[in-house]
Amino acid sequence: MNLSKLFLVLSLLLILNFSFGQETKKYLQGEYNKEVTGQVYTSPHQHKVDQIQAIAHPNAEIRNVILLIGDGMGLAQVFAGFSANNDELYIQYANQTGFQKTKSKNKYKTDSAAAGTALACGTKTNNGAIGVDSDGNLVPSILEIASENGKATGVVVTCAITHATPAAFVAHTGSRKNTADIAKFFVSDKIDVFIGGGLDDFSQRADNDDLIPELQEKGFQVVTKTEELHTINDGKLAALLKPGHLEKYPERGDILPQSTAKAIDILSKDKDGFFLMVEGSQIDWAGHDMDFTYLVEEMLDFDRAVGAALKFAEKDGHTLVIITADHETGGLSIHDANLAEGSVEGRFSTDNHSTIMVPVFAYGPGAELFTGIYENTAIFQKMMESFKFAKEKK
Ligand SMILES: [Zn+2]
């Protein structure tokens, strides 16, 4: 190969390496000199973090609870967000902090179904199970209990609405794979607003049932296009925006923070208050893909949804905001950053979940209840206590 051709190939490789804001670095690490890859990423989607004031009355009555779950979001994922966003995130204003342990009934390493059921229903169950205990008995969720106590309820996600975490708040089935069964649980009086993907589980079903007319009979306004969302300002809303999961960020646009604000806007019209679960579903998928670009973008987008919730809570004064995860994914560690440039370097140690305990951040009246170290099931108990709901008779 002549010299000019060689030069051309080398410069092309260099360009490829430095384009797309991502760069990889190889390190020899540990006593066995194992090669690990550091991924350095600079996000073009930083956001300004407006100041959020501490609430004036920390002992005010808690009328609303907003639970935001970063799926797969460990402490390193949160810090990747800080490092990529000028050392600032809205999460910093939820400054009552704790940690929760994620093991399930049958595994030290949980999946999203068991962890979701622990957070939503306060019960340790087996991996893969949704809204049932390890003997298959139905356990009621905080969303269902809130509805029975006259509150409005909602779920906002970036995955199919029938996926493990949202399903744990609404459905009851032995396996997270039963998405057709899970969809049927959304045709319910106990949920008022749901926004996400998963249209096929309602309208393209193996049993040829079409659940869309059934949703409408239940009073849901059904929308299937993002641009239709703003036309709905009250009542019941079923927004099924994709046949399956939503795209990753930035392809899907600002649908997560916008849907969070939309759901709050609709649910806050209920004078008895509301419960809302918002999930940054794809932080987990970025960890499974060991893709640091994907991870940082999903983390920043999730933080913008946190911002929407905190801005409402700051004005409202009767809203408790809880931010946590169901587990960590990727065994991520953060190794370097240049805050001025916005570049950050992360390394993944696995493409699976890890068992490490995950952070809890809380803001608003009753937030101090979430400090300390405890099991994931305690999040449910603490929400019950915050709402002053009577303990459920087991
Ligand atoms: Zn996962």
Side-chain angles (χ1 to χ4, degrees):
M1 185 189 285
N2 66 31
L3 216 56
S4 61
K5 263 207 190 121
L6 184 63
F7 179 72
L8 188 65
V9 169
L10 283 176
S11 43
L12 266 177
L13 278 175
L14 269 175
I15 292 164
L16 271 177
N17 213 3
F18 281 96
S19 56
F20 307 117
Q22 159 128 347
E23 177 196 342
T24 57
K25 291 183 176 178
K26 303 277 179 203
Y27 299 85
L28 295 181
Q29 206 166 298
E31 64 193 282
Y32 305 110
N33 269 348
K34 189 168 179 306
E35 188 179 271
V36 292
T37 303
Q39 298 172 49
V40 181
Y41 179 61
T42 306
S43 171
H45 304 108
Q46 295 178 326
H47 55 271
K48 180 178 173 306
V49 175
D50 302 321
Q51 189 170 15
I52 303 283
Q53 301 296 332
I55 49 154
H57 308 289
N59 303 316
E61 180 210 354
I62 301 167
R63 279 202 289 268
N64 315 310
V65 170
I66 304 174
L67 173 65
L68 298 113
I69 299 173
D71 197 312
M73 184 187 77
L75 199 53
Q77 283 77 357
V78 175
F79 197 63
F82 271 98
S83 305
N85 200 59
N86 214 12
D87 207 16
E88 281 213 301
L89 290 180
Y90 278 107
I91 286 176
Q92 72 199 35
Y93 290 106
N95 57 13
Q96 298 292 322
T97 58
F99 288 93
Q100 46 111 338
K101 299 173 186 174
T102 66
K103 65 180 174 293
S104 71
K105 185 76 184 264
N106 66 341
K107 298 281 184 198
Y108 202 61
K109 186 180 291 181
T110 191
D111 79 329
S112 291
T117 300
L119 296 172
C121 308
T123 299
K124 292 275 186 185
T125 192
N126 296 337
N127 283 11
I130 298 277
V132 295
D133 64 19
S134 52
D135 301 321
N137 305 311
L138 185 153
V139 280
S141 76
I142 185 77
L143 182 142
E144 292 165 321
I145 297 166
S147 175
E148 285 154 17
N149 283 273
K151 298 207 179 269
T153 65
V155 166
V156 170
V157 296
T158 55
C159 55
I161 205 76
T162 51
H163 207 249
T165 309
F169 287 81
V170 176
H172 306 278
T173 175
S175 169
R176 59 185 290 170
K177 296 194 181 97
N178 304 340
T179 56
D181 294 348
I182 289 169
K184 287 200 167 180
F185 282 95
F186 283 83
V187 184
S188 159
D189 300 319
K190 293 194 175 151
I191 186 162
D192 302 291
V193 170
F194 56 92
I195 306 174
L199 177 61
D200 281 0
D201 285 316
F202 292 79
S203 62
Q204 304 298 323
R205 296 168 53 88
D207 61 10
N208 292 324
D209 267 2
D210 184 354
L211 302 185
I212 302 297
E214 293 184 32
L215 284 171
Q216 287 159 337
E217 265 159 48
K218 277 275 177 207
F220 283 98
Q221 299 157 97
V222 179
V223 304
T224 58
K225 295 188 183 58
T226 308
E227 51 277 15
E228 293 170 339
L229 261 183
H230 75 277
T231 64
I232 312 292
N233 296 306
D234 52 24
K236 289 170 78 85
L237 168 62
L240 299 163
L241 304 175
K242 285 284 168 196
H245 305 303
L246 275 59
E247 299 105 319
K248 57 172 73 172
Y249 188 87
E251 285 80 2
R252 66 169 180 260
D254 291 328
I255 190 66
L256 179 60
Q258 284 172 5
S259 299
T260 302
K262 173 55 72 176
I264 291 171
D265 185 45
I266 294 173
L267 297 172
S268 60
K269 289 192 169 83
D270 187 314
K271 61 174 185 22
D272 300 315
F274 67 86
F275 170 79
L276 173 64
M277 192 284 282
V278 175
E279 188 196 24
S281 318
Q282 301 189 20
I283 296 170
D284 175 59
W285 303 348
H288 284 297
D289 295 352
M290 300 173 88
D291 181 339
F292 196 56
T293 296
Y294 188 7
L295 185 275
V296 170
E297 290 302 344
E298 290 296 329
M299 189 59 232
L300 294 185
D301 191 50
F302 178 67
D303 188 63
R304 290 186 283 268
V306 169
L310 290 176
K311 284 183 177 175
F312 171 80
E314 178 189 29
K315 273 202 264 7
D316 179 74
H318 294 279
T319 301
L320 169 64
V321 178
I322 307 151
I323 303 139
T324 191
D326 52 353
H327 54 76
E328 192 274 346
T329 305
L332 181 70
S333 52
I334 305 300
H335 286 263
D336 200 0
N338 179 322
L339 292 176
E341 270 175 30
S343 67
V344 50
E345 182 196 331
R347 299 180 202 169
F348 292 101
S349 65
T350 174
D351 61 1
N352 200 342
H353 300 171
S354 74
T355 66
I356 195 171
M357 62 185 182
V358 293
V360 183
F361 307 91
Y363 171 94
E368 66 288 345
L369 194 59
F370 293 82
T371 58
I373 297 175
Y374 38 83
E375 290 296 330
N376 48 8
T377 45
I379 296 273
F380 167 84
Q381 305 303 352
K382 291 174 189 289
M383 289 191 287
M384 289 285 284
E385 213 175 309
S386 303
F387 268 144
K388 296 198 171 29
F389 291 156
K391 274 212 171 355
E392 283 292 304
K393 294 190 194 37
K394 288 276 186 289

